[in-house]
Amino acid sequence: MTTVYVHGIGMTKFGSFEDKSLKDLLIEASIGALKDANLPKIDAVFVGNFMGGTLSNQEILGAIVANDLGLGYIPTAKLEGACASGGIALRQGVLSILSGEYENVLVVGAEKMKHASTATVTQFINTAMDQSTTEKEAGLTFPGFFGTVANRYMYETGAQKEHLAKVALKNRENAMNNPLAQFQKPTSIEEIVNARMVTDPLGLFDCSPITDGAAAVVLSSKPSNIKVRASSQSSGPTLMQDAIDLLSLPAVKISGERAYEKAGLGPEDIDVAEIHDCFSMTEILSIEELGFFPKLEGWKAVEAGETKVGGRIPVNTSGGLLSKGHPIGATGISQIYQLVRQLRGNAPNQLAKQPKIALAQNLGGTGAYSVVHILERV
Amino acid sequence: MMKVYECCGIESVTKKVYCSSCGKEITNEIDVPEEGTVYSYTVIQVPPAQFAHLAPYTVALIQLKNSKAKVTARILESVAIGDQVKLDSIVDGAYVFKKVGSSKVLHNS
Ligand SMILES: [Zn+2]
């Protein structure tokens, strides 16, 4: 049976790059991954991107990447699944190799957002929710969904804003050691809790930023020392009013369960994880849904430092979306970039005991998509 | 009255074609009162361009009375979880609810 391996990784710095186009970012990250993989002959390209059409007035990203890199007239495609676009592109790359169609595949994700105003970006990010509903007309925003979740979570568990702040602080402390991260300035619980409110109870530090950046991976059926043990995906509700349990993200739970089943592993086997922390609240919900901690107790684990570097299950050693930054289409692939470096033993915030099994979880919309990949050092 | 669609015990204000539990077409429509309690809420301070003129505004998820279904609506006042609310108007396709009773009053009575 075919197995998929990671051969190369590449990533631009995440931040604000006025002088770089969406294409520049895609090409820069791709070159990094291709060189890291020793320039194999690429058979297909999969691109993850969400807002190229709206914010950069640019589509056909797959063909552009193949053309400008000079890869020849190979098949390409762009995948869209809101903030899970990168993870979905990665999964399509994995599946295309498993099908036997291709040997070497380039997967690259990028987003160019910083040139637009916050109101414009907020408006376009809202396309990740069903736009033809009374819920959208009520004015619910994407952050507003997680604000509503957070108020209920705090009401049911007794968690405080300080617990949300501890997620943001942990990820900032991790980003301070990651030269590719968008935010490296030290902060404090006081600063986080007192920051400008975005959507009650979520403040500025509880929300992932607007970011430019790209990340890329070269996959192959030829062996390397990083094996893709599992690739899985699930959908979930596309509306808040359709959630059967507001404090659950079924897409995360189901994609996690499917990945564990495929890998023949459980949450207790995972040494390090990158979890989609689009909001501090989301990281807490997802560490519960992935089985690292019991339901409604994720906040206690954060309080106890169990998700810190050196904790029981270090989460977002890269700085996460909150502080590494969140160039939407790149995010799912940049998670793989950090995890491969952890497995290779040369990551920012490298774990003292070099990890063997790593898990990445990438969310799209308000839980509309979730993708999970499990990697193994072999 | 507000329409709720039901099959296999799952109730939703969204009209879906098939029931994800039994696979059959959903045909059971129930009328429920346009009132309920605040299940949770948020106050949106950073609005999308379309709603900039309203900010800051409250959006709540409302547990409808006599139903398992919930509905998302804008609320005229600031609210807390457990407050009783009632439909005030429908504005540009949005449900706008108003507060008619406080959760705290309920506890005291
Ligand atoms: Zn049914």
Side-chain angles (χ1 to χ4, degrees), chain A residues 118-119 122-123 126 134-141 144 147-148 151-152 155-156 196-201 239-244 246, chain B residues 10 12-14 16 38-51 57 59-61 70-74 81 92-95:
Chain A
T118 300
T122 305
Q123 187 80 46
N126 264 19
T134 55
E135 178 167 294
K136 178 258 179 179
E137 298 304 344
L140 182 69
T141 59
T148 310
N151 271 330
R152 185 73 197 187
Y155 176 82
E156 287 200 16
R196 184 163 62 84
M197 198 55 73
V198 172
T199 181
D200 181 70
L239 289 168
M240 180 165 78
Q241 61 197 9
D242 270 3
I244 289 168
L246 185 65
Chain B
I10 301 166
S12 171
V13 294
T14 306
K16 297 179 186 184
V38 172
Y39 186 78
S40 193
Y41 68 95
T42 188
V43 180
I44 292 173
Q45 309 276 355
V46 180
Q50 185 190 346
F51 299 105
Y57 57 91
V59 174
L61 185 62
K70 299 187 185 81
V71 70
T72 303
R74 199 153 66 231
I81 291 173
D92 297 333
Y95 292 119

Short mmCIF file of all heavy atoms in Angstrom, two decimals, chain A residues 118-119 122-123 126 134-141 144 147-148 151-152 155-156 196-201 239-244 246, chain B residues 10 12-14 16 38-51 57 59-61 70-74 81 92-95:
data_model
loop_
_atom_site.label_atom_id
_atom_site.label_comp_id
_atom_site.label_asym_id
_atom_site.label_seq_id
_atom_site.Cartn_x
_atom_site.Cartn_y
_atom_site.Cartn_z
N THR A 118 -9.81 46.77 8.03
CA THR A 118 -10.38 45.75 8.92
C THR A 118 -11.86 45.51 8.58
O THR A 118 -12.31 44.36 8.57
CB THR A 118 -10.22 46.18 10.39
OG1 THR A 118 -8.83 46.32 10.65
CG2 THR A 118 -10.79 45.13 11.34
N ALA A 119 -12.61 46.58 8.29
CA ALA A 119 -14.04 46.42 7.97
C ALA A 119 -14.23 45.59 6.71
O ALA A 119 -15.11 44.73 6.64
CB ALA A 119 -14.70 47.79 7.81
N THR A 122 -13.25 41.96 7.57
CA THR A 122 -14.32 41.37 8.39
C THR A 122 -15.51 41.00 7.51
O THR A 122 -16.11 39.94 7.66
CB THR A 122 -14.76 42.35 9.50
OG1 THR A 122 -13.61 42.72 10.25
CG2 THR A 122 -15.77 41.70 10.44
N GLN A 123 -15.84 41.89 6.56
CA GLN A 123 -16.96 41.63 5.65
C GLN A 123 -16.69 40.37 4.80
O GLN A 123 -17.55 39.51 4.68
CB GLN A 123 -17.18 42.84 4.73
CG GLN A 123 -18.41 42.75 3.85
CD GLN A 123 -19.69 43.11 4.61
OE1 GLN A 123 -19.75 44.09 5.33
NE2 GLN A 123 -20.71 42.29 4.46
N ASN A 126 -16.72 37.09 6.64
CA ASN A 126 -18.09 36.66 6.89
C ASN A 126 -18.63 35.74 5.79
O ASN A 126 -19.62 35.06 6.00
CB ASN A 126 -19.00 37.88 7.05
CG ASN A 126 -19.20 38.24 8.51
OD1 ASN A 126 -18.41 37.84 9.37
ND2 ASN A 126 -20.23 39.00 8.80
N THR A 134 -31.22 34.64 8.09
CA THR A 134 -31.58 35.69 9.06
C THR A 134 -30.44 35.89 10.05
O THR A 134 -30.27 36.97 10.59
CB THR A 134 -32.84 35.29 9.84
OG1 THR A 134 -32.62 34.02 10.45
CG2 THR A 134 -34.06 35.22 8.93
N GLU A 135 -29.63 34.83 10.27
CA GLU A 135 -28.52 34.93 11.23
C GLU A 135 -27.48 35.95 10.75
O GLU A 135 -27.00 36.77 11.53
CB GLU A 135 -27.87 33.56 11.41
CG GLU A 135 -26.68 33.58 12.34
CD GLU A 135 -26.25 32.18 12.75
OE1 GLU A 135 -27.01 31.50 13.46
OE2 GLU A 135 -25.15 31.77 12.36
N LYS A 136 -27.16 35.88 9.47
CA LYS A 136 -26.21 36.85 8.91
C LYS A 136 -26.80 38.25 8.96
O LYS A 136 -26.12 39.22 9.32
CB LYS A 136 -25.88 36.43 7.47
CG LYS A 136 -24.93 37.38 6.76
CD LYS A 136 -25.67 38.28 5.81
CE LYS A 136 -24.72 39.25 5.12
NZ LYS A 136 -25.46 40.10 4.18
N GLU A 137 -28.09 38.37 8.65
CA GLU A 137 -28.72 39.70 8.64
C GLU A 137 -28.82 40.28 10.06
O GLU A 137 -28.92 41.49 10.24
CB GLU A 137 -30.11 39.64 7.98
CG GLU A 137 -30.10 39.21 6.52
CD GLU A 137 -29.21 40.06 5.60
OE1 GLU A 137 -28.81 41.16 6.00
OE2 GLU A 137 -28.89 39.59 4.50
N ALA A 138 -28.82 39.40 11.07
CA ALA A 138 -28.83 39.88 12.46
C ALA A 138 -27.51 40.57 12.80
O ALA A 138 -27.42 41.28 13.80
CB ALA A 138 -29.09 38.72 13.41
N GLY A 139 -26.48 40.33 11.98
CA GLY A 139 -25.20 41.01 12.20
C GLY A 139 -24.18 40.16 12.93
O GLY A 139 -23.16 40.68 13.39
N LEU A 140 -24.45 38.85 13.03
CA LEU A 140 -23.45 37.98 13.66
C LEU A 140 -22.20 37.98 12.80
O LEU A 140 -22.28 37.81 11.58
CB LEU A 140 -23.99 36.55 13.80
CG LEU A 140 -23.03 35.59 14.51
CD1 LEU A 140 -22.91 35.94 15.99
CD2 LEU A 140 -23.46 34.13 14.36
N THR A 141 -21.06 38.17 13.44
CA THR A 141 -19.78 38.10 12.72
C THR A 141 -19.11 36.80 13.08
O THR A 141 -19.54 36.07 13.98
CB THR A 141 -18.85 39.25 13.13
OG1 THR A 141 -18.61 39.16 14.54
CG2 THR A 141 -19.44 40.60 12.79
N GLY A 144 -17.90 37.09 16.40
CA GLY A 144 -19.10 37.14 17.24
C GLY A 144 -19.60 35.75 17.60
O GLY A 144 -20.09 35.52 18.71
N GLY A 147 -17.43 34.65 20.38
CA GLY A 147 -17.76 35.44 21.57
C GLY A 147 -18.99 34.87 22.25
O GLY A 147 -19.04 34.74 23.49
N THR A 148 -20.00 34.51 21.46
CA THR A 148 -21.23 33.92 22.00
C THR A 148 -20.93 32.57 22.65
O THR A 148 -21.44 32.25 23.73
CB THR A 148 -22.28 33.76 20.86
OG1 THR A 148 -22.40 35.00 20.17
CG2 THR A 148 -23.63 33.35 21.41
N ASN A 151 -19.12 33.23 26.07
CA ASN A 151 -19.99 33.64 27.18
C ASN A 151 -20.73 32.44 27.77
O ASN A 151 -20.88 32.32 28.98
CB ASN A 151 -21.00 34.70 26.71
CG ASN A 151 -20.45 36.11 26.87
OD1 ASN A 151 -19.64 36.37 27.77
ND2 ASN A 151 -20.86 37.02 26.00
N ARG A 152 -21.18 31.54 26.91
CA ARG A 152 -21.88 30.35 27.41
C ARG A 152 -20.90 29.41 28.13
O ARG A 152 -21.23 28.81 29.15
CB ARG A 152 -22.57 29.62 26.24
CG ARG A 152 -23.43 28.44 26.66
CD ARG A 152 -24.72 28.89 27.33
NE ARG A 152 -25.34 27.81 28.09
CZ ARG A 152 -26.54 27.91 28.67
NH1 ARG A 152 -27.24 29.02 28.58
NH2 ARG A 152 -27.03 26.91 29.35
N TYR A 155 -20.23 30.72 31.49
CA TYR A 155 -21.46 30.57 32.29
C TYR A 155 -21.57 29.14 32.82
O TYR A 155 -21.91 28.91 33.98
CB TYR A 155 -22.66 30.92 31.41
CG TYR A 155 -24.02 30.72 32.02
CD1 TYR A 155 -24.58 31.69 32.84
CD2 TYR A 155 -24.77 29.58 31.72
CE1 TYR A 155 -25.85 31.53 33.38
CE2 TYR A 155 -26.04 29.41 32.25
CZ TYR A 155 -26.57 30.39 33.09
OH TYR A 155 -27.83 30.23 33.60
N GLU A 156 -21.24 28.16 31.97
CA GLU A 156 -21.42 26.75 32.38
C GLU A 156 -20.27 26.21 33.21
O GLU A 156 -20.47 25.31 34.01
CB GLU A 156 -21.62 25.86 31.14
CG GLU A 156 -22.99 26.08 30.53
CD GLU A 156 -23.45 24.95 29.63
OE1 GLU A 156 -22.87 23.84 29.68
OE2 GLU A 156 -24.40 25.19 28.86
N ARG A 196 -8.61 46.33 24.08
CA ARG A 196 -9.85 46.74 23.42
C ARG A 196 -10.73 45.52 23.10
O ARG A 196 -10.25 44.50 22.61
CB ARG A 196 -9.47 47.46 22.12
CG ARG A 196 -10.61 48.06 21.35
CD ARG A 196 -10.09 49.09 20.35
NE ARG A 196 -9.19 48.51 19.35
CZ ARG A 196 -9.61 47.91 18.23
NH1 ARG A 196 -10.90 47.79 17.97
NH2 ARG A 196 -8.75 47.42 17.36
N MET A 197 -12.03 45.66 23.41
CA MET A 197 -12.97 44.58 23.18
C MET A 197 -13.30 44.49 21.70
O MET A 197 -13.53 45.51 21.05
CB MET A 197 -14.23 44.87 24.01
CG MET A 197 -15.12 43.69 24.24
SD MET A 197 -14.31 42.27 25.00
CE MET A 197 -14.11 42.84 26.68
N VAL A 198 -13.33 43.25 21.17
CA VAL A 198 -13.73 43.05 19.77
C VAL A 198 -15.18 42.59 19.73
O VAL A 198 -16.01 43.14 19.02
CB VAL A 198 -12.80 42.03 19.06
CG1 VAL A 198 -13.34 41.67 17.68
CG2 VAL A 198 -11.39 42.60 18.95
N THR A 199 -15.45 41.53 20.50
CA THR A 199 -16.80 40.99 20.59
C THR A 199 -16.89 40.31 21.94
O THR A 199 -16.27 39.28 22.16
CB THR A 199 -17.11 40.06 19.39
OG1 THR A 199 -18.43 39.57 19.48
CG2 THR A 199 -16.13 38.91 19.26
N ASP A 200 -17.58 40.92 22.85
CA ASP A 200 -17.65 40.53 24.24
C ASP A 200 -17.82 39.01 24.41
O ASP A 200 -18.75 38.48 23.82
CB ASP A 200 -18.85 41.27 24.85
CG ASP A 200 -19.03 40.97 26.31
OD1 ASP A 200 -18.20 41.43 27.08
OD2 ASP A 200 -19.98 40.24 26.65
N PRO A 201 -16.99 38.30 25.17
CA PRO A 201 -15.88 38.74 26.04
C PRO A 201 -14.51 38.65 25.36
O PRO A 201 -13.50 38.65 26.06
CB PRO A 201 -15.96 37.70 27.17
CG PRO A 201 -16.33 36.43 26.44
CD PRO A 201 -17.24 36.85 25.32
N LEU A 239 -24.09 27.32 10.60
CA LEU A 239 -24.81 28.40 11.28
C LEU A 239 -24.76 28.17 12.78
O LEU A 239 -24.83 27.02 13.24
CB LEU A 239 -26.28 28.40 10.87
CG LEU A 239 -26.64 28.85 9.47
CD1 LEU A 239 -28.08 28.50 9.16
CD2 LEU A 239 -26.42 30.35 9.34
N MET A 240 -24.71 29.26 13.57
CA MET A 240 -24.75 29.12 15.02
C MET A 240 -26.08 28.52 15.47
O MET A 240 -26.13 27.67 16.35
CB MET A 240 -24.54 30.50 15.67
CG MET A 240 -24.56 30.47 17.18
SD MET A 240 -23.89 31.98 17.89
CE MET A 240 -25.27 33.12 17.69
N GLN A 241 -27.18 28.97 14.84
CA GLN A 241 -28.50 28.51 15.27
C GLN A 241 -28.76 27.04 14.89
O GLN A 241 -29.74 26.46 15.34
CB GLN A 241 -29.61 29.42 14.74
CG GLN A 241 -29.71 29.50 13.24
CD GLN A 241 -30.52 30.70 12.76
OE1 GLN A 241 -30.89 31.57 13.55
NE2 GLN A 241 -30.82 30.74 11.46
N ASP A 242 -27.86 26.43 14.12
CA ASP A 242 -27.98 25.01 13.78
C ASP A 242 -27.17 24.12 14.72
O ASP A 242 -27.25 22.90 14.63
CB ASP A 242 -27.48 24.76 12.35
CG ASP A 242 -28.60 24.91 11.33
OD1 ASP A 242 -29.73 25.25 11.74
OD2 ASP A 242 -28.35 24.68 10.14
N ALA A 243 -26.37 24.72 15.60
CA ALA A 243 -25.54 23.91 16.51
C ALA A 243 -26.44 23.21 17.52
O ALA A 243 -27.23 23.85 18.20
CB ALA A 243 -24.53 24.79 17.23
N ILE A 244 -26.31 21.90 17.61
CA ILE A 244 -27.11 21.16 18.59
C ILE A 244 -26.55 21.42 19.98
O ILE A 244 -27.28 21.57 20.94
CB ILE A 244 -27.14 19.66 18.22
CG1 ILE A 244 -28.00 19.50 16.95
CG2 ILE A 244 -27.70 18.83 19.37
CD1 ILE A 244 -27.92 18.15 16.30
N LEU A 246 -23.89 24.20 21.52
CA LEU A 246 -23.07 25.38 21.20
C LEU A 246 -21.63 25.21 21.66
O LEU A 246 -20.72 25.79 21.09
CB LEU A 246 -23.69 26.64 21.85
CG LEU A 246 -23.02 27.98 21.52
CD1 LEU A 246 -23.15 28.32 20.04
CD2 LEU A 246 -23.58 29.11 22.38
N ILE B 10 -34.81 16.10 16.22
CA ILE B 10 -33.95 17.26 15.98
C ILE B 10 -34.82 18.40 15.45
O ILE B 10 -35.54 18.23 14.47
CB ILE B 10 -32.81 16.93 14.98
CG1 ILE B 10 -31.97 15.77 15.50
CG2 ILE B 10 -31.95 18.16 14.72
CD1 ILE B 10 -31.06 15.15 14.45
N SER B 12 -35.01 22.51 14.22
CA SER B 12 -34.15 23.59 13.72
C SER B 12 -35.00 24.64 13.00
O SER B 12 -36.01 24.31 12.40
CB SER B 12 -33.12 23.00 12.75
OG SER B 12 -32.42 24.05 12.10
N VAL B 13 -34.57 25.91 13.09
CA VAL B 13 -35.25 26.95 12.31
C VAL B 13 -34.81 26.92 10.85
O VAL B 13 -35.40 27.57 10.00
CB VAL B 13 -35.01 28.38 12.90
CG1 VAL B 13 -35.66 28.50 14.26
CG2 VAL B 13 -33.53 28.70 12.96
N THR B 14 -33.73 26.15 10.57
CA THR B 14 -33.27 25.99 9.19
C THR B 14 -34.05 24.85 8.54
O THR B 14 -34.12 23.76 9.09
CB THR B 14 -31.77 25.64 9.16
OG1 THR B 14 -31.06 26.63 9.89
CG2 THR B 14 -31.23 25.59 7.74
N LYS B 16 -34.00 22.10 6.27
CA LYS B 16 -33.08 21.24 5.52
C LYS B 16 -33.90 20.28 4.68
O LYS B 16 -35.06 20.01 5.00
CB LYS B 16 -32.19 20.45 6.49
CG LYS B 16 -31.30 21.38 7.31
CD LYS B 16 -30.44 20.63 8.30
CE LYS B 16 -29.69 21.63 9.17
NZ LYS B 16 -28.77 21.01 10.10
N VAL B 38 -32.49 33.96 26.52
CA VAL B 38 -31.16 34.15 25.96
C VAL B 38 -30.28 32.97 26.38
O VAL B 38 -30.05 32.75 27.57
CB VAL B 38 -30.54 35.48 26.44
CG1 VAL B 38 -29.08 35.58 26.01
CG2 VAL B 38 -31.35 36.66 25.91
N TYR B 39 -29.83 32.18 25.38
CA TYR B 39 -28.96 31.04 25.66
C TYR B 39 -27.52 31.54 25.80
O TYR B 39 -26.78 31.10 26.67
CB TYR B 39 -29.07 30.02 24.53
CG TYR B 39 -28.32 28.75 24.82
CD1 TYR B 39 -28.86 27.79 25.69
CD2 TYR B 39 -27.07 28.51 24.25
CE1 TYR B 39 -28.15 26.62 25.97
CE2 TYR B 39 -26.38 27.35 24.53
CZ TYR B 39 -26.92 26.41 25.39
OH TYR B 39 -26.22 25.27 25.67
N SER B 40 -27.13 32.46 24.93
CA SER B 40 -25.87 33.18 25.05
C SER B 40 -25.90 34.40 24.14
O SER B 40 -26.85 34.57 23.38
CB SER B 40 -24.67 32.29 24.73
OG SER B 40 -23.48 32.93 25.16
N TYR B 41 -24.89 35.23 24.24
CA TYR B 41 -24.91 36.50 23.51
C TYR B 41 -23.49 37.03 23.35
O TYR B 41 -22.55 36.55 23.99
CB TYR B 41 -25.75 37.54 24.28
CG TYR B 41 -25.05 37.95 25.56
CD1 TYR B 41 -24.24 39.08 25.60
CD2 TYR B 41 -25.13 37.15 26.69
CE1 TYR B 41 -23.54 39.42 26.75
CE2 TYR B 41 -24.44 37.47 27.85
CZ TYR B 41 -23.64 38.61 27.86
OH TYR B 41 -22.94 38.91 28.99
N THR B 42 -23.36 38.04 22.50
CA THR B 42 -22.11 38.79 22.44
C THR B 42 -22.45 40.23 22.08
O THR B 42 -23.54 40.50 21.55
CB THR B 42 -21.12 38.18 21.42
OG1 THR B 42 -19.85 38.85 21.54
CG2 THR B 42 -21.61 38.33 19.98
N VAL B 43 -21.55 41.12 22.40
CA VAL B 43 -21.71 42.52 21.98
C VAL B 43 -20.64 42.79 20.93
O VAL B 43 -19.44 42.71 21.22
CB VAL B 43 -21.56 43.50 23.16
CG1 VAL B 43 -21.73 44.94 22.67
CG2 VAL B 43 -22.57 43.17 24.25
N ILE B 44 -21.06 43.04 19.71
CA ILE B 44 -20.12 43.20 18.60
C ILE B 44 -19.65 44.65 18.54
O ILE B 44 -20.43 45.57 18.31
CB ILE B 44 -20.77 42.72 17.28
CG1 ILE B 44 -20.94 41.20 17.39
CG2 ILE B 44 -19.90 43.12 16.07
CD1 ILE B 44 -21.68 40.55 16.28
N GLN B 45 -18.34 44.83 18.81
CA GLN B 45 -17.73 46.16 18.83
C GLN B 45 -17.05 46.46 17.50
O GLN B 45 -16.92 47.62 17.12
CB GLN B 45 -16.67 46.25 19.95
CG GLN B 45 -17.16 45.80 21.30
CD GLN B 45 -17.88 46.90 22.06
OE1 GLN B 45 -17.93 48.03 21.61
NE2 GLN B 45 -18.45 46.56 23.21
N VAL B 46 -16.55 45.40 16.83
CA VAL B 46 -15.88 45.57 15.53
C VAL B 46 -16.79 44.93 14.48
O VAL B 46 -16.80 43.72 14.31
CB VAL B 46 -14.48 44.91 15.54
CG1 VAL B 46 -13.80 45.08 14.18
CG2 VAL B 46 -13.62 45.50 16.64
N PRO B 47 -17.59 45.75 13.80
CA PRO B 47 -18.60 45.22 12.88
C PRO B 47 -18.06 45.07 11.46
O PRO B 47 -17.08 45.74 11.11
CB PRO B 47 -19.66 46.32 12.90
CG PRO B 47 -18.86 47.58 13.07
CD PRO B 47 -17.63 47.23 13.88
N PRO B 48 -18.71 44.24 10.65
CA PRO B 48 -18.38 44.26 9.22
C PRO B 48 -18.94 45.56 8.63
O PRO B 48 -19.81 46.20 9.24
CB PRO B 48 -19.12 43.04 8.68
CG PRO B 48 -20.20 42.77 9.65
CD PRO B 48 -19.76 43.29 10.98
N ALA B 49 -18.45 45.93 7.46
CA ALA B 49 -18.84 47.21 6.83
C ALA B 49 -20.35 47.39 6.80
O ALA B 49 -20.86 48.47 7.09
CB ALA B 49 -18.24 47.27 5.42
N GLN B 50 -21.07 46.30 6.51
CA GLN B 50 -22.53 46.37 6.36
C GLN B 50 -23.25 46.85 7.62
O GLN B 50 -24.31 47.47 7.54
CB GLN B 50 -23.05 44.98 5.94
CG GLN B 50 -24.54 44.95 5.62
CD GLN B 50 -25.05 43.52 5.45
OE1 GLN B 50 -24.28 42.58 5.31
NE2 GLN B 50 -26.36 43.37 5.47
N PHE B 51 -22.70 46.53 8.80
CA PHE B 51 -23.39 46.86 10.06
C PHE B 51 -22.67 47.93 10.87
O PHE B 51 -22.95 48.11 12.06
CB PHE B 51 -23.56 45.59 10.90
CG PHE B 51 -24.39 44.54 10.21
CD1 PHE B 51 -23.80 43.42 9.64
CD2 PHE B 51 -25.77 44.69 10.10
CE1 PHE B 51 -24.56 42.46 8.99
CE2 PHE B 51 -26.55 43.74 9.45
CZ PHE B 51 -25.94 42.63 8.89
N TYR B 57 -23.46 46.53 18.88
CA TYR B 57 -24.80 45.95 18.97
C TYR B 57 -24.73 44.54 19.54
O TYR B 57 -23.70 43.88 19.48
CB TYR B 57 -25.48 45.95 17.60
CG TYR B 57 -24.73 45.25 16.50
CD1 TYR B 57 -24.95 43.88 16.23
CD2 TYR B 57 -23.79 45.92 15.71
CE1 TYR B 57 -24.27 43.23 15.21
CE2 TYR B 57 -23.10 45.26 14.70
CZ TYR B 57 -23.35 43.93 14.45
OH TYR B 57 -22.66 43.28 13.46
N VAL B 59 -25.89 40.63 19.72
CA VAL B 59 -26.46 39.50 18.99
C VAL B 59 -26.57 38.34 19.98
O VAL B 59 -25.65 38.12 20.77
CB VAL B 59 -25.59 39.08 17.79
CG1 VAL B 59 -26.12 37.81 17.14
CG2 VAL B 59 -25.54 40.20 16.75
N ALA B 60 -27.71 37.66 19.98
CA ALA B 60 -27.91 36.57 20.93
C ALA B 60 -28.41 35.31 20.24
O ALA B 60 -29.03 35.38 19.17
CB ALA B 60 -28.91 36.99 22.01
N LEU B 61 -28.09 34.20 20.86
CA LEU B 61 -28.67 32.92 20.46
C LEU B 61 -29.82 32.67 21.45
O LEU B 61 -29.60 32.63 22.67
CB LEU B 61 -27.62 31.81 20.53
CG LEU B 61 -28.07 30.44 20.03
CD1 LEU B 61 -28.45 30.48 18.55
CD2 LEU B 61 -26.97 29.39 20.26
N LYS B 70 -33.11 26.78 18.39
CA LYS B 70 -32.61 28.10 18.80
C LYS B 70 -32.59 28.99 17.56
O LYS B 70 -32.53 28.50 16.42
CB LYS B 70 -31.19 27.98 19.37
CG LYS B 70 -31.09 27.09 20.61
CD LYS B 70 -29.69 27.17 21.20
CE LYS B 70 -29.50 26.21 22.36
NZ LYS B 70 -29.22 24.83 21.91
N VAL B 71 -32.62 30.30 17.80
CA VAL B 71 -32.56 31.25 16.70
C VAL B 71 -31.61 32.39 17.06
O VAL B 71 -31.53 32.79 18.22
CB VAL B 71 -33.97 31.77 16.32
CG1 VAL B 71 -34.55 32.68 17.40
CG2 VAL B 71 -33.94 32.50 14.97
N THR B 72 -30.87 32.86 16.05
CA THR B 72 -29.95 33.98 16.25
C THR B 72 -30.68 35.28 15.93
O THR B 72 -31.35 35.38 14.90
CB THR B 72 -28.74 33.82 15.31
OG1 THR B 72 -28.13 32.56 15.59
CG2 THR B 72 -27.72 34.94 15.54
N ALA B 73 -30.56 36.27 16.81
CA ALA B 73 -31.25 37.54 16.60
C ALA B 73 -30.45 38.70 17.16
O ALA B 73 -29.61 38.51 18.03
CB ALA B 73 -32.62 37.51 17.26
N ARG B 74 -30.75 39.88 16.64
CA ARG B 74 -30.19 41.08 17.24
C ARG B 74 -31.11 41.48 18.39
O ARG B 74 -32.33 41.27 18.31
CB ARG B 74 -30.14 42.19 16.18
CG ARG B 74 -29.20 43.31 16.51
CD ARG B 74 -28.70 43.98 15.23
NE ARG B 74 -29.76 44.65 14.50
CZ ARG B 74 -29.98 44.46 13.20
NH1 ARG B 74 -29.25 43.64 12.49
NH2 ARG B 74 -30.97 45.10 12.60
N ILE B 81 -27.41 35.96 30.06
CA ILE B 81 -27.92 34.61 29.82
C ILE B 81 -29.10 34.36 30.75
O ILE B 81 -29.04 34.68 31.93
CB ILE B 81 -26.79 33.56 30.04
CG1 ILE B 81 -25.75 33.69 28.93
CG2 ILE B 81 -27.37 32.15 30.09
CD1 ILE B 81 -24.51 32.85 29.11
N ASP B 92 -34.77 44.38 7.67
CA ASP B 92 -33.86 43.97 6.59
C ASP B 92 -33.51 42.47 6.69
O ASP B 92 -32.34 42.10 6.59
CB ASP B 92 -32.57 44.81 6.62
CG ASP B 92 -32.83 46.28 6.36
OD1 ASP B 92 -33.84 46.58 5.68
OD2 ASP B 92 -32.05 47.11 6.84
N GLY B 93 -34.50 41.66 6.94
CA GLY B 93 -34.28 40.22 6.98
C GLY B 93 -33.71 39.70 8.29
O GLY B 93 -33.39 38.52 8.41
N ALA B 94 -33.58 40.57 9.29
CA ALA B 94 -33.03 40.14 10.58
C ALA B 94 -34.14 40.12 11.64
O ALA B 94 -34.98 41.01 11.69
CB ALA B 94 -31.94 41.10 11.03
N TYR B 95 -34.12 39.09 12.48
CA TYR B 95 -35.00 39.09 13.64
C TYR B 95 -34.43 40.06 14.68
O TYR B 95 -33.25 39.95 15.03
CB TYR B 95 -35.10 37.71 14.26
CG TYR B 95 -35.84 36.70 13.39
CD1 TYR B 95 -35.20 35.56 12.94
CD2 TYR B 95 -37.17 36.91 13.04
CE1 TYR B 95 -35.87 34.64 12.14
CE2 TYR B 95 -37.85 36.00 12.24
CZ TYR B 95 -37.19 34.86 11.79
OH TYR B 95 -37.85 33.97 11.00
#
